[in-house]
């Protein structure tokens, strides 16, 4: 059983102003594919390296399969790691690269041969076994790096941004292959990336990190639909959620008032927002849930909002429409529109937001209100 | 493109570097401050007597032979320079020195016959005289009076046998720690230490006629005698006691007797002023013999100031010059008159050196420079590698055949 | 200035800039080498005007000279002993210096100082250290090993002693070269090896050593060339003795040229030395090329 328990794990570099990882608590299930995602400097690589044993744990406990790992060296943790720059031994052939760890453990030659060839077959690199790393493409090298970990047959696979150095098309292809590999190997995988699309497509659950703090640990859909704070809401989803800062004021009813626009808070939401009367809040609404009232009839939409089109990005299946609210030309937003609707820059449109998809966040703590 | 005048300066410096020599240049090597002070004192006296002769004194601080060779080879040799007796055969055979016979004839004040015969002829080659020995030194025996008294010895060794027995008596463990701290004698595996013994035994390195006799029994016996002192533990070696040279061992009171020259006297004054010591002639073998070292002042053939150079040579090796130079005791006078007039025969230490002159053999071997290093190597082989003495010396004799000068 | 073509203009300026260094090189390097080689075919005594042509006479005499044969032997022993030890030691030191240990800056400096200290000074100091009452014997005796010889006057120990001195001196210098090479090894390689289960020792041999190969090549060649030409220490510490036990080829060249006045003979021995060095570097380039991975 390859579960990973992370309890109050902290990493502080001597002399640093803040902890690189602050009191992280995660419980990773056996055979789960967990992605660590976040912007640069959020600590995701550090966290991964702490699991690997390449970074010392300042405080807290790390358990793999129920055993405490804090003091163990990487080779005793039964893990394998795939690095961003592949870290293949340049002076060895592919075969030797993959066999290196086994040779060090004095595995019998026959077994080594068997394991390496088996891994090579899975990754379709059997024809490369005699080559040197410098004679291969990036994609091939990455496979070898993965092959090296497979051969180890570890409890946990750790991936540190393995696809960052590949071109876009290859990246998409490799993503699918790694997912497939996960099913084939039936192993626990912890995967680091900065790309939230990658995270969403690959992870069973995702850990969103910012400034060393775990923001939310949840399934992709939950992160998308129920982000716990403004950061997660804005990080997950592309194009990202639109945010407007404003206040809840009591006019005839609870009204959200901001520079860009104001509208009456929908009936269902009024109870949640009442305590915030007079306070600053942030209104969040996803580009996916904005609709042209002239066209959209089926959904429950909020009150009409007048916008003016600033720019258009047709991507084929959809068009990203960049706009501002009529009241404030300085603040731009985005919505995803059916590509068949032909807008032009300067068009004035009336839109509405799906009521069920309105989100509000506290302005100071950024926590989600509802 | 304009040429900036500044770029020409390095070129000017390069080409403007030739100096014209307008004065005679005098060179010696530098061994000690004391020596240099006396040299300059002598030169000042020279200036007073001959104010119209301009000269430059440029001593060479190190690697004298090499530097001199290069200066001679490139035509920049000084007009007057010092030459050691042992290197002189090569220079004389290469015909780079000016024969001094005409100067000697004309200069009536010089009185060449005032020189001891052995030194008067020291720098003669094929009938011509190339240099004048300005001073000499000789190997004598230094002994520690207190150690002798403690051992109950009231005489000094005068034969090889006595040297052996005295050394034995004087080798002791003085502080009772089981190790010998005082040796009777000290030797170095150096050809010039063996030579006096060889001469005393009737041996030779090379005869007047050019026959090499270093492999003959007389030489072998002398070498064996010297080695026996070390082998039997009654003589030490400077390296064994961490000393630099034999005189150093003596000054540190680690041996009772040592062979050395007059240069040990100022050394002892500086380093062991309370050491009571005496000086006697070397013990004799079949006959008396010792090694004499001399240095000459010579003039190169290429000199353009030969008259001035001779004038300096004449004064510095003349009675006055030699008096100033030798009265400090650094080296001994090669002129009989100077020795007599300055009390060298009366002095308890220096009289021994003067007596040695009668039977001293010059340290001068008529072979190419390399004879010395090959002979040293042979001595080292005998001493450090315990090579068979007779065989090594006979092989050396064969090797030395190649270095004979005609 | 007008030029016929852009290409000609570039050539002009190119050669103009090359002219001065080329002139210096010719005057101070190429010409002396050629001249020395020519001199080796003559009986060339600086003080004698007559310098007869002797063809291969000097060379033939060289190989009949037992001291020269000994010099070749000593030079080869010296080089074969010093080069591997020095290379390995400096790589090892660099590897240690590259880790994050306390006092790292101090040790780096301490190891490097001998390399920049005058060889004359270190030689003189070591004459004392190697003497009978010197530091080496003192340390050995304190450690319980009986040692009571003058290391420089014993024919068996004189050459190894000088070899030790040189290893100590130049290791620091090459350590710096290796340090630079080590910086180029990505740390992720070591991390991958750590995960694969390699300890420090295995990391050193299986990652560091192969990855610094270009630097190793450089160090070995420089070390070889330096060792073949060892002179200062011999000149100061042992004068080639005792009994030519520490006479090396360059010392032989010096003695014969500057002490014995025989420039032609000395030049011939220098030519043999140059040939030896050249041959060695050619062999090294062929069989141990500096290809980086």
């Amino acid at each position: 059983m390859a579960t990973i328990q992370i309890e109050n794990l902290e990493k502080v570099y001597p002399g640093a102003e803040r902890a690189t990882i602050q009191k992280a608590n995660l419980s990773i299930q056996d055979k789960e594919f967990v992605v660590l995602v976040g912007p640069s400097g959020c600590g995701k690589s550090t966290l991964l390296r702490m699991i690997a044993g390449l970074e010392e744990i300042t405080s807290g406990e790390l358990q793999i399969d129920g055993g405490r790992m804090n003091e163990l060296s990487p080779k005793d943790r039964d893990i394998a790691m795939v690095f961003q720059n592949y870290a293949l031994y340049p002076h060895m052939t592919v075969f030797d690269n993959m066999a290196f760890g086994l040779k060090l453990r004095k595995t019998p030659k026959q077994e080594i041969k068997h394991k390496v060839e088996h891994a090579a077959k899975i990754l379709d690199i059997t024809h490369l076994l005699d080559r040197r790393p410098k004679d291969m493409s990036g994609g091939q090298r990455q496979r070898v790096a993965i092959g090296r970990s497979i051969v180890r047959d570890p409890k946990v696979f750790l991936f540190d941004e393995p696809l960052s150095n590949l071109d876009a098309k290859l990246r998409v292809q490799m993503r699918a292959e790694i997912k497939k590999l996960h099913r084939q190997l039936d192993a626990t995988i912890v995967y680091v990336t900065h790309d939230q699309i990658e995270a969403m497509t690959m992870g069973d659950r995702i850990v969103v990190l910012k400034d060393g703090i775990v923001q939310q640990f949840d399934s992709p859909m939950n992160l998308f639909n129920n982000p716990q704070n403004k950061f997660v809401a804005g990080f997950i989803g592309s194009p990202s959620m639109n945010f407007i800062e404003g206040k809840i004021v009591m006019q005839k009813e609870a009204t959200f008032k901001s520079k860009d626009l104001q509208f009456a808070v929908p009936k269902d939401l009024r109870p949640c927002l009442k305590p915030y009367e007079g306070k600053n809040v942030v209104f969040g609404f996803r580009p996916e849930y904005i609709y042209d009232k002239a066209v959209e009839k089926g959904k429950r939409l909020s009150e009409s909002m007048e916008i003016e089109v600033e720019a258009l990005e047709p991507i084929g299946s959809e068009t990203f429409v960049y706009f501002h609210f009529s009241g404030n030309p300085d603040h731009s937003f985005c919505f995803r529109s059916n590509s068949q609707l032909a807008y032009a820059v300067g068009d004035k449109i009336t839109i509405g937001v799906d009521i069920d998809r309105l989100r509000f966040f506290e302005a100071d703590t950024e926590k989600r209100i509802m | 493109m304009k040429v900036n005048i500044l770029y020409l300066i390095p070129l000017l410096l390069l080409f403007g570097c030739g100096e014209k020599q307008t004065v005679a240049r005098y060179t010696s090597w530098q061994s000690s401050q004391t020596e240099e002070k006396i040299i300059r004192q002598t030169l000042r006296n020279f200036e007073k007597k001959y104010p119209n002769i301009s000269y430059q004194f440029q001593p060479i601080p190190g690697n004298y032979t090499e530097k001199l060779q290069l200066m001679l080879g490139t035509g920049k040799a000084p007009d007057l320079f010092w030459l050691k007796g042992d290197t002189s055969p090569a220079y004389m055979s290469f015909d780079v020195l000016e024969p001094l016979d005409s100067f000697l004839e004309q200069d009536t004040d010089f009185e060449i016959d005032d020189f001891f015969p052995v030194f008067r002829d020291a720098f003669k080659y094929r009938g011509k005289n190339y240099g004048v020995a300005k001073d000499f030194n000789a190997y004598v025996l230094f002994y520690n009076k207190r150690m002798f008294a403690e051992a109950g010895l009231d005489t000094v060794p005068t034969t090889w046998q006595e040297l052996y027995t005295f050394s034995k008596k004087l080798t002791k463990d003085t502080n009772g720690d089981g190790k010998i701290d005082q040796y009777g004698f000290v030797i170095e595996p150096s050809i010039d230490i063996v030579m006096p013994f060889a001469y005393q035994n009737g041996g030779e390195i090379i005869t007047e006629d050019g026959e090499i006799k270093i492999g003959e029994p007389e030489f072998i016996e002398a070498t064996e005698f010297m080695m026996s002192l070390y082998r039997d533990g009654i003589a030490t070696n400077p390296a064994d006691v961490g000393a630099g040279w034999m005189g150093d061992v003596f000054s540190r009171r680690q041996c009772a007797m040592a062979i050395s020259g007059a240069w040990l006297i100022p050394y002892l004054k500086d380093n062991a002023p309370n050491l009571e010591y005496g000086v006697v002639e070397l013990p004799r073998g079949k006959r008396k013999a010792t090694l004499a070292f001399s240095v000459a002042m010579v003039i190169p053939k290429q000199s353009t100031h030969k008259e001035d150079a001779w004038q300096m040579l004449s004064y510095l090796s003349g009675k006055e010059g030699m008096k100033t130079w030798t009265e400090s005791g650094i080296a001994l006078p090669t002129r009989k008159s100077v020795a007599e007039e300055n009390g060298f025969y009366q002095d308890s230490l220096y009289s021994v050196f003067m007596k040695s002159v009668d039977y001293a053999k010059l340290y001068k071997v008529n072979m190419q420079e390399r004879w010395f290093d090959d002979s040293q190597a042979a001595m080292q082989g005998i001493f450090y590698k315990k090579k068979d003495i007779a065989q090594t010396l006979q092989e050396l004799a064969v090797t030395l055949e190649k270095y004979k000068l005609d | 200035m007008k030029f016929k073509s852009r290409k000609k203009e570039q050539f002009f300026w190119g050669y103009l800039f090359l002219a001065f260094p080329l002139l210096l090189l010719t005057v101070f390097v190429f010409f002396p080498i050629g001249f020395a080689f020519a001199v080796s075919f003559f009986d060339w005594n600086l003080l004698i005007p007559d310098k007869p042509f002797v063809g291969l006479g000097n060379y033939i005499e060289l190989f009949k000279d037992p001291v020269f044969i000994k010099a070749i032997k000593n030079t080869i022993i010296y080089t074969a002993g010093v080069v591997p030890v020095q290379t390995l030691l400096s790589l090892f030191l660099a590897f240690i210096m590259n880790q994050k240990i306390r006092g790292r800056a101090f040790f780096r400096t301490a190891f490097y100082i001998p390399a920049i200290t005058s060889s004359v000074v270190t030689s003189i100091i070591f004459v004392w250290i190697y003497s009978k009452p010197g530091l080496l014997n003192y340390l050995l005796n304190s450690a319980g090993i009986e040692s009571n010889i003058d290391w420089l006057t014993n024919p068996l120990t004189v050459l190894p002693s000088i070899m030790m001195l040189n290893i100590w001196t130049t290791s620091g210098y090459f350590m710096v070269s290796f340090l630079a090479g080590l910086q180029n090894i990505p740390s992720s390689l070591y991390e991958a090896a750590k995960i694969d289960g390699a300890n420090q020792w295995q990391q050193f041999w299986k990652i560091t050593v192969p990855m610094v190969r270009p630097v190793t090549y450089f160090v070995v060649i420089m070390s070889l060339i330096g060792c073949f030409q060892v002179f200062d220490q011999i000149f100061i510490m042992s004068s080639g003795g005792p009994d030519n036990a520490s006479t090396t080829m360059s010392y032989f060249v010096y003695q014969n040229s500057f002490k014995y006045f025989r420039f032609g003979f000395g030049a011939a021995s220098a030519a043999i030395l140059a040939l030896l060095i050249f041959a060695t570097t050619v062999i090294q380039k062929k069989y141990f090329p500096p290809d980086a991975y």
Side-chain angles (χ1 to χ4, degrees):
Chain A
M1 285 276 285
T3 57
I4 305 179
Q5 284 292 115
I6 294 174
E7 275 171 41
N8 291 325
L9 213 61
E10 268 215 338
K11 173 76 188 174
V12 186
Y13 285 107
E17 280 172 7
R18 66 164 175 90
T20 308
I21 296 287
Q22 284 183 43
K23 290 227 164 18
N25 279 287
L26 300 167
S27 184
I28 299 175
Q29 320 289 5
D30 186 28
K31 304 198 207 316
E32 204 178 356
F33 192 127
V34 169
V35 178
L36 306 180
V37 75
S40 279
C42 68
K44 54 194 188 295
S45 278
T46 310
L47 185 54
L48 188 79
R49 288 162 64 88
M50 284 160 85
I51 299 175
L54 296 172
E55 292 287 349
E56 262 199 47
I57 296 170
T58 313
S59 69
E61 183 155 296
L62 167 72
Q63 287 183 4
I64 296 181
D65 204 9
R68 182 183 156 102
M69 294 281 128
N70 292 41
E71 289 78 29
L72 293 183
S73 68
K75 69 175 162 79
D76 297 322
R77 296 191 187 196
D78 205 6
I79 51 115
M81 187 148 156
V82 179
F83 293 84
Q84 183 175 357
N85 63 1
Y86 327 127
L88 296 179
Y89 308 119
H91 54 289
M92 298 186 200
T93 60
V94 166
F95 186 97
D96 290 329
N97 259 282
M98 290 167 69
F100 187 65
L102 297 175
K103 277 203 206 128
L104 283 174
R105 271 155 226 266
K106 310 229 190 323
T107 317
K109 255 214 184 98
Q110 269 300 94
E111 198 180 324
I112 295 181
K113 190 163 179 297
H114 175 75
K115 284 197 161 152
V116 172
E117 284 175 0
H118 175 68
K121 202 146 64 133
I122 296 179
L123 293 162
D124 197 21
I125 51 173
T126 314
H127 59 292
L128 297 174
L129 284 175
D130 286 323
R131 287 223 208 142
R132 289 259 157 87
K134 70 173 160 82
D135 300 324
M136 301 192 297
S137 69
Q140 289 170 327
R141 286 185 212 166
Q142 193 48 283
R143 280 173 213 258
V144 175
I146 297 175
R148 186 168 57 179
S149 344
I150 292 178
V151 151
R152 293 277 315 279
D153 201 16
K155 286 209 177 95
V156 179
F157 284 87
L158 305 171
F159 287 79
D160 191 355
E161 303 208 45
L163 307 182
S164 302
N165 290 359
L166 304 176
D167 64 77
K169 204 138 176 257
L170 199 51
R171 231 183 289 157
V172 173
Q173 184 189 333
M174 289 299 294
R175 261 191 242 155
E177 288 205 27
I178 294 179
K179 270 305 271 189
K180 194 170 113 194
L181 212 59
H182 176 224
R183 285 195 297 279
Q184 259 180 303
L185 297 172
D186 216 13
T188 309
I189 296 185
V190 182
Y191 187 106
V192 166
T193 179
H194 63 273
D195 181 345
Q196 55 99 21
I197 296 181
E198 203 164 282
M200 295 287 281
T201 55
M202 298 178 81
D204 290 337
R205 279 197 293 169
I206 301 171
V207 179
V208 179
L209 285 151
K210 177 178 175 230
D211 292 338
I213 305 178
V214 174
Q215 305 291 314
Q216 193 170 348
F217 182 24
D218 221 331
S219 69
M221 286 322 289
N222 271 351
L223 288 175
F224 186 81
N225 291 322
N226 302 312
Q228 275 172 18
N229 59 37
K230 179 167 170 261
F231 175 76
V232 178
F235 188 77
I236 303 288
S238 178
S240 37
M241 187 186 273
N242 298 302
F243 293 113
I244 304 180
E245 281 200 20
K247 257 195 173 77
I248 303 289
V249 295
M250 290 307 291
Q251 290 178 343
K252 275 220 315 264
E253 320 112 319
T255 307
F256 174 77
K257 190 166 175 178
S258 71
K259 226 170 33 162
D260 300 274
L261 83 163
Q262 63 182 56
F263 62 92
V265 174
K267 237 193 325 200
D268 317 354
L269 308 174
R270 274 178 220 163
C272 292
L273 286 174
K274 192 128 191 322
Y276 291 89
E277 194 185 317
K279 296 222 179 87
N280 288 327
V281 296
V282 179
F283 167 50
F285 54 110
R286 287 201 182 275
E288 291 82 2
Y289 302 126
I290 299 174
Y291 299 95
D292 184 340
K293 278 206 163 165
V295 178
E296 190 62 44
K297 305 293 178 206
K299 304 233 187 288
R300 278 177 56 198
L301 296 178
S302 65
E303 339 181 322
S304 299
M305 305 163 183
E306 300 302 319
I307 64 165
E308 187 174 317
V309 175
E310 285 181 349
L312 298 165
E313 267 178 24
I315 60 164
S317 52
E318 296 175 292
T319 302
F320 294 161
V321 181
Y322 292 91
F323 64 89
H324 59 259
F325 288 99
S326 303
N328 183 7
D330 298 328
H331 197 172
S332 298
F333 303 90
C334 175
F335 84 91
R336 295 167 84 135
S337 152
N338 190 321
S339 61
Q340 306 313 315
L341 298 170
Y343 295 115
V345 174
D347 278 359
K348 290 194 170 24
I349 314 174
T350 305
I351 58 158
V353 183
D354 186 335
I355 289 186
D356 296 320
R357 306 293 187 182
L358 290 178
R359 298 279 175 261
F360 283 92
F361 304 89
E362 289 180 23
D364 43 355
T365 65
E366 296 198 353
K367 276 231 215 24
R368 182 160 139 237
I369 301 172
M370 42 75 47
Chain B
M1 120 181 112
K2 292 191 215 148
V3 176
N4 197 322
I5 195 76
L6 282 173
Y7 296 146
L8 288 176
I9 293 186
L11 282 171
L12 285 173
L13 284 173
L14 262 177
F15 291 118
C17 253
E19 298 167 0
K20 296 221 191 69
Q21 284 148 353
T22 50
V23 296
R25 282 154 49 239
Y26 173 43
T27 274
S28 71
W29 54 75
Q30 276 180 342
S31 26
S32 70
Q33 289 213 345
T34 334
E35 237 186 59
E36 193 164 329
K37 259 201 287 189
I38 301 176
I39 296 177
R40 291 193 187 270
Q41 177 62 46
T42 325
L43 286 171
R44 274 196 291 273
N45 295 345
F46 169 77
E47 281 176 45
K48 280 194 221 133
K49 198 157 180 195
Y50 296 91
N52 53 318
I53 296 185
S54 5
Y55 70 93
Q56 260 182 334
F57 175 51
Q58 299 169 329
I60 294 175
N63 297 33
Y64 183 78
T65 327
E66 292 88 335
K67 185 112 194 269
L68 192 61
Q69 192 203 147
L70 285 174
M71 287 163 86
L72 280 165
T74 54
K76 294 207 167 35
D79 302 285
L80 184 67
F81 60 89
W82 290 10
L83 188 65
K84 271 204 233 178
D86 51 306
T87 26
S88 63
Y91 283 79
M92 294 193 291
S93 79
F94 296 152
D95 199 25
V96 292
L97 303 175
E98 178 76 16
L100 302 175
D101 303 281
S102 53
F103 289 114
L104 287 166
E105 275 169 42
Q106 286 167 10
D107 191 333
T108 44
D109 295 325
F110 194 70
E111 288 183 46
I112 187 118
D113 291 316
D114 185 21
F115 285 83
F116 293 108
V118 63
F119 300 121
R120 181 194 60 210
D121 301 330
F123 293 87
K124 267 208 176 122
Y125 181 74
R126 289 201 177 156
K128 298 211 190 132
N129 208 330
Y130 289 91
V132 177
K134 64 180 183 63
D135 57 46
F136 82 96
N137 232 307
Y139 273 154
V140 296
L141 188 70
F142 284 71
Y143 69 97
N144 186 313
K145 287 190 177 162
R146 194 172 54 78
M147 289 183 192
F148 267 58
E150 278 171 14
L153 298 162
D154 53 1
T155 53
V156 289
T158 53
T159 65
W160 285 17
Q161 188 57 26
E162 282 177 9
L163 181 62
Y164 190 94
T165 50
F166 274 60
S167 299
K168 199 154 184 195
K169 272 219 190 109
L170 290 157
T171 301
K172 332 180 157 158
D173 168 16
T174 48
N175 54 10
D177 64 348
K179 284 192 279 192
I180 306 226
D181 347 71
Q182 180 187 302
Y183 288 88
F185 195 54
V186 58
I187 62 166
E188 237 172 21
S190 188
I191 191 78
D192 51 283
I193 302 298
V194 181
M195 279 162 85
F197 290 98
Y199 291 147
Q200 289 175 4
N201 203 32
E204 278 274 14
I205 294 188
I206 182 172
T207 65
E208 293 279 326
D209 312 313
E211 248 192 274
I212 294 188
K213 292 212 182 263
I214 200 171
E216 301 293 310
E218 292 86 3
F219 207 99
I220 295 173
E221 276 167 22
T223 314
E224 273 174 359
F225 171 67
M226 227 189 69
M227 281 302 299
S228 70
L229 294 163
Y230 180 73
R231 219 179 23 233
D232 296 350
I234 57 181
T236 183
N237 165 269
D240 283 350
V241 293
W245 55 298
M246 297 192 298
D248 196 10
V249 180
F250 185 78
S251 78
R252 292 190 198 185
R253 297 173 172 86
Q254 285 169 310
C255 65
M257 299 182 281
I259 294 180
S260 198
W263 54 77
L264 183 54
I265 297 176
Y267 186 84
L268 288 172
K269 199 151 65 149
D270 288 338
N271 293 286
N274 299 319
L275 210 173
E276 283 177 35
Y277 67 95
V279 165
V280 286
E281 295 168 67
L282 291 182
R284 56 177 293 163
K286 291 186 189 148
R287 52 178 208 232
K288 275 181 161 183
T290 185
L291 213 53
F293 310 93
S294 69
V295 177
M297 284 194 261
V298 297
I299 301 174
K301 255 204 168 111
Q302 56 182 256
S303 165
T304 47
H305 296 85
K306 292 188 189 144
E307 280 71 33
D308 286 353
W310 170 257
Q311 207 54 261
M312 289 180 75
L313 193 162
S314 173
Y315 177 79
L316 295 167
S317 301
K319 294 191 187 165
E320 267 185 56
M322 192 177 288
K323 174 169 181 281
T324 320
W325 173 242
T326 55
E327 63 191 357
S328 60
I330 295 184
L332 295 140
T334 42
R335 283 180 180 273
K336 196 146 193 249
S337 65
V338 176
E340 282 170 353
E341 282 161 27
N342 291 296
F344 281 88
Y345 284 99
Q346 284 70 43
D347 182 274
S348 62
L349 297 173
Y350 289 104
S351 57
V352 179
F353 292 91
M354 301 317 301
K355 271 191 254 164
S356 306
V357 173
D358 294 336
Y359 52 84
K361 281 205 78 155
L362 277 176
Y363 183 49
K364 172 185 164 194
V365 169
N366 214 21
M367 288 195 276
Q368 283 176 40
E369 228 5 74
R370 195 165 156 176
W371 82 268
F372 181 73
D373 287 316
D374 280 5
S375 306
Q376 287 297 77
M379 286 295 132
Q380 286 161 358
I382 291 171
F383 193 84
Y384 294 111
K385 287 164 131 166
K386 315 233 185 313
K387 281 189 180 169
D388 177 68
I389 296 177
Q391 191 187 357
T392 311
L393 288 176
Q394 276 154 6
E395 281 167 5
L396 180 63
V398 172
T399 314
L400 292 183
E401 285 288 332
K402 294 186 283 179
Y403 307 137
K404 287 202 287 201
L405 290 170
D406 18 54
Chain C
M1 274 186 247
K2 291 230 153 94
F3 291 93
K4 286 215 179 83
S5 66
R6 183 89 208 281
K7 197 166 164 197
K8 286 222 168 95
E9 183 180 355
Q10 286 195 330
F11 273 8
F12 171 79
W13 287 107
Y15 282 122
L16 185 65
F17 276 109
L18 272 179
F20 187 61
L22 211 55
L23 180 68
L24 280 179
L25 266 180
T26 308
V27 168
F28 290 106
V29 178
F30 300 130
F31 177 71
I33 292 178
F35 190 75
F37 187 60
V39 166
S40 72
F41 295 108
F42 291 81
D43 180 3
W44 192 289
N45 183 321
L46 209 55
L47 303 183
I48 300 181
D50 188 28
K51 299 171 170 58
F53 179 76
V54 292
L56 292 174
N58 285 328
Y59 291 93
I60 295 173
E61 193 188 331
L62 270 177
F63 285 99
K64 290 202 207 142
D65 188 333
V67 178
F68 184 66
I69 303 297
K70 213 167 198 180
I72 296 182
K73 196 177 79 153
N74 287 340
T75 308
I76 291 179
I77 292 176
Y78 184 89
T79 307
V82 172
V83 172
V85 177
Q86 201 173 68
T87 307
L88 210 60
L89 181 63
S90 43
L91 175 56
F92 191 67
L93 283 176
F95 183 73
I96 295 179
M97 285 301 106
N98 208 28
Q99 316 284 334
K100 290 189 182 20
I101 55 172
R102 243 186 289 164
R104 184 160 72 133
F106 165 75
F107 283 113
R108 257 203 303 239
T109 318
F111 289 137
Y112 192 60
I113 283 184
I116 51 174
T117 310
S118 149
S119 62
V120 172
V121 171
T122 49
S123 302
I124 294 179
I125 292 178
F126 267 76
V127 168
W128 295 337
I129 294 181
Y130 282 137
S131 67
K132 192 150 182 269
L135 190 61
L136 180 60
N137 283 339
Y138 177 74
L139 290 174
L140 286 173
N141 286 322
S142 313
I145 306 170
E146 220 197 281
S147 170
N148 223 0
I149 55 169
D150 182 313
W151 295 79
L152 294 175
T153 54
N154 183 318
L156 290 173
T157 59
V158 60
L159 198 60
S161 303
I162 299 183
M163 286 162 74
M164 283 293 137
L165 168 60
N166 252 316
I167 290 174
W168 172 77
T169 317
T170 359
S171 289
Y173 175 77
F174 291 129
M175 172 188 85
V176 172
S177 304
F178 275 123
L179 258 178
L182 287 182
Q183 314 282 3
N184 282 334
I185 304 177
S187 54
S188 54
L189 274 186
Y190 287 112
E191 287 173 351
K194 246 198 251 183
I195 294 177
D196 271 338
N199 57 28
Q200 289 273 55
W201 180 251
Q202 288 162 325
Q203 284 175 39
F204 178 73
W205 285 107
K206 297 202 185 272
I207 309 249
T208 313
V209 171
M211 291 300 287
V212 292
R213 197 154 125 144
V215 183
T216 310
Y217 176 82
F218 165 77
V219 166
V220 169
I221 282 220
M222 297 307 287
S223 185
L224 272 174
I225 293 177
C227 281
F228 274 120
Q229 298 178 342
V230 62
F231 177 79
D232 299 14
Q233 291 84 353
I234 312 285
F235 184 77
I236 293 179
M237 297 172 84
S238 68
S239 300
D243 193 15
N244 293 311
S246 60
T247 298
T248 56
M249 288 171 84
S250 49
Y251 190 71
F252 185 86
V253 172
Y254 171 80
Q255 274 193 310
N256 281 279
S257 309
F258 295 98
K259 275 181 86 182
Y260 308 151
F261 307 108
R262 301 187 61 200
F263 269 76
F265 192 61
S269 58
I272 302 281
L273 177 59
L275 195 67
L276 192 56
I277 298 177
F278 183 70
T280 311
T281 50
V282 163
I283 292 175
Q284 186 185 348
K285 186 136 205 276
K286 180 148 198 251
Y287 292 105
F288 301 99
D291 309 325
Y293 291 105

